[in-house]
Amino acid sequence: MKILMISSEVLPFAKAGGLGDMVSALSAELARQGHDVRVVLPRYYSIDPGRLRRLEDPLGVPMGRDEEWCAVGTAMLPGTEVPVYFIEHQALFGRDGIYAATSGPDFEDNLRRFTLLSRGALQLARMLKWKPDVVHAHDWPAALAPVYLNTLESEGFFRSSGSVFTIHNLAHQGIFPKEEIEHTMLGWESFHGAGLEDHDQLNVLKAGLHNADILTTVSPTYAEEIQTPEHGHRLDGLLRHRSDDLFGVLNGMDYELWDPMNDEYLPAPFGADDLAGKAACKRALQQVMGLDVEPDVPLFGMVSRLVEQKGFGELCGPTHGSLYNICEDFDLQFVILGTGEAWCEKELASLAGRLPNLAVDLEFNEPLAHLIMAGCDFLLVPSAFEPCGLTQMYAMRYGTLPIVRRTGGLADTVTSYDEATGEGTGFDFDLLTPSAIYNTVGWSLWTWHNRPNHIETMQLRAMAERFSWELSAARYVEIYKGAMDRRSGSIPRT
């Protein structure tokens, strides 16, 4: 199959979250299974143009009342034969940041920027004379692609191209003043007809949900949750209407990149047959983070975006059970790595200054992220919602037991500890409250001290879990075929 991936993030070129990991890994696995996959991404300022091969012909992209002209660079997805095409437009993409400047508000011209991505990706396929069987668009920055396939591109070159739209995070929808529709070249008849209208504003993600032949999201539980008012972000009615075309496919993880036996960032390798290296990693992590080197003190970690969604409102709040109480009341150590909203960074820095057993690093640091996965005994993931999540998968691979809120992909990947049998791969809780987090941390500590044999058995069981991209990619191939059938009319879409 010929598969066109359109995304605002692709690892290792540009990443703000799990979207970049998913697009890269899925594309690589689909190529390994014999499919012709091509990826289109903006050429942000951070991407060195000197490492790209530039196409000879410029790319013209109709937008608004004019046509934008772009250069196009190419490179291979590392370790694969998957070509990545970079749309280069200095005025729109030549700046720091993907969606916003560091710790600042979103760029005001994001609709123009990602309209150029969606329309430009289709224009590029036409220029290359490469007709995709399926256009796979990811999250709101690429959501206009299926809209164009149903409107401006409904006849001609893309007439038989099916469309798949993947929701990575329904909370981010791309909402803009309705007057900005002029940037899209979609007339006012499309404002209602193509599903763009949302309370007299323009909602790009909603239009993608309305127009794509098939919808997917990144875990089965999240696919169910987003059809409810609690997690549907005002679009649950539309998603229930399209439930027959909505599928949850669990993300896999990269077992070559995240391998404790062959991880260049670790001071010592380890595996299920010999966990001695994990103790060396714990010692190194304690040293790096300025904590006392105490092998018998449980070490907890978080590697996360520092935002409300990830549970930091509860952790940093004044209510009993917060992070301050956890570090004050329990004999443990805690390390946190991440960047995010200013209020959260400030609060965590303040807590670290007052608590000798809490260490915080406010940066993006890939080597340290690997060391935290390897050196910690527990990883805390108290998300308000989590479409899939990868950190809990990484943690299990490294024998670090996750403590998670039972939601989305966390519910699909972590099996809760059973005190009677020792079964499970981690600890979980339902309500997102400071007391629930506090009590579950306490539960894990009780198990650490009183059931060490259960902890070790759970570690080995967690390390044996496999969240394979091979199976997920095969499921996507079935979905692509379904999109093509819906496009051809042989299977009606809802």
Side-chain angles (χ1 to χ4, degrees), residues 170 222 225-234 236 384-385 405 407:
L170 192 67
Y222 191 60
E225 288 177 342
I226 60 177
Q227 297 180 60
T228 68
E230 180 183 0
H231 293 286
H233 296 279
R234 300 182 301 104
D236 51 290
F385 62 94
R405 179 166 179 258
T407 184

Side-chain angles (χ1 to χ4, degrees), residues 365-377:
N365 186 324
E366 189 73 11
L368 183 56
H370 283 245
L371 186 58
I372 288 173
M373 294 301 167
C376 283
D377 302 299

Side-chain angles (χ1 to χ4, degrees), residues 108-419:
E108 292 184 357
D109 57 351
N110 271 347
L111 180 60
R112 284 191 66 215
R113 298 173 74 236
F114 294 112
T115 293
L116 181 62
L117 171 65
S118 296
R119 192 78 195 275
L122 300 178
Q123 287 291 95
L124 177 62
R126 180 184 282 108
M127 185 177 82
L128 296 173
K129 297 181 173 58
W130 181 82
K131 184 184 298 184
D133 297 306
V134 172
V135 174
H136 190 165
H138 295 268
D139 253 358
W140 80 260
L144 285 176
V147 181
Y148 287 131
L149 291 177
N150 277 2
T151 54
L152 303 180
E153 302 286 1
S154 61
E155 300 295 333
F157 189 78
F158 296 101
R159 183 174 183 175
S160 61
S161 299
S163 61
V164 173
F165 179 63
T166 295
I167 309 157
H168 294 261
N169 190 335
L170 192 67
H172 303 299
Q173 298 183 6
I175 298 176
F176 302 93
K178 64 181 180 181
E179 292 76 17
E180 292 194 30
I181 195 173
E182 66 175 5
H183 301 312
T184 69
M185 286 196 74
L186 296 166
W188 283 106
E189 70 279 1
S190 296
F191 187 57
H192 293 281
L196 287 159
E197 192 275 335
D198 183 7
H199 292 78
D200 208 37
Q201 291 184 294
L202 189 156
N203 186 323
V204 179
L205 183 135
K206 177 174 177 278
L209 300 180
H210 184 84
N211 284 272
D213 295 311
I214 286 187
L215 310 175
T216 74
T217 191
V218 290
S219 72
T221 295
Y222 191 60
E224 295 296 323
E225 288 177 342
I226 60 177
Q227 297 180 60
T228 68
E230 180 183 0
H231 293 286
H233 296 279
R234 300 182 301 104
L235 298 178
D236 51 290
L238 173 57
L239 290 162
R240 286 194 299 273
H241 174 73
R242 297 218 58 196
S243 60
D244 289 345
D245 299 324
L246 172 61
F247 302 94
V249 183
L250 188 68
N251 281 349
M253 63 165 279
D254 188 330
Y255 284 91
E256 293 183 5
L257 180 63
W258 295 90
D259 179 3
M261 287 297 294
N262 299 284
D263 192 325
E264 63 178 325
Y265 298 129
L266 302 187
F270 64 93
D273 295 334
D274 184 2
L275 290 173
K278 186 170 176 65
C281 293
K282 180 174 181 176
R283 181 169 58 251
L285 177 59
Q286 289 170 324
Q287 291 171 337
V288 166
M289 300 301 288
L291 297 171
D292 293 339
V293 177
E294 299 187 55
D296 296 329
V297 172
L299 181 55
F300 289 70
M302 294 183 75
V303 178
S304 175
R305 287 185 294 115
L306 309 181
V307 295
E308 191 83 21
Q309 178 205 331
K310 300 298 184 177
F312 283 98
E314 285 70 26
L315 282 172
C316 295
T319 307
H320 184 268
S322 67
L323 182 60
Y324 181 84
N325 300 124
I326 289 172
C327 292
E328 273 277 289
D329 297 351
F330 295 130
D331 183 17
L332 53 73
Q333 294 176 334
F334 215 117
V335 298
I336 298 176
L337 171 66
T339 62
E341 296 176 358
W343 70 267
C344 190
E345 293 188 0
K346 181 179 179 181
E347 180 64 21
L348 289 175
S350 173
L351 287 171
R354 290 181 283 155
L355 296 164
N357 57 343
L358 172 64
V360 174
D361 194 325
L362 301 173
E363 64 174 337
F364 175 78
N365 186 324
E366 189 73 11
L368 183 56
H370 283 245
L371 186 58
I372 288 173
M373 294 301 167
C376 283
D377 302 299
F378 302 95
L379 185 85
L380 180 60
V381 193
S383 301
F385 62 94
E386 195 65 65
C388 179
L390 290 171
T391 56
Q392 80 278 11
M393 299 184 193
Y394 301 154
M396 285 190 278
R397 173 70 161 148
Y398 285 68
T400 296
L401 299 180
I403 300 171
V404 304
R405 179 166 179 258
R406 190 162 38 240
T407 184
L410 301 176
D412 291 328
T413 54
V414 179
T415 305
S416 190
Y417 170 55
D418 186 325
E419 291 183 8

Side-chain angles (χ1 to χ4, degrees), residues 44-46 92-102 107 113-114:
Y44 304 109
Y45 180 77
S46 60
L92 293 179
F93 298 134
R95 59 187 79 168
D96 289 325
I98 296 176
Y99 312 106
T102 304
F107 295 127
R113 298 173 74 236
F114 294 112

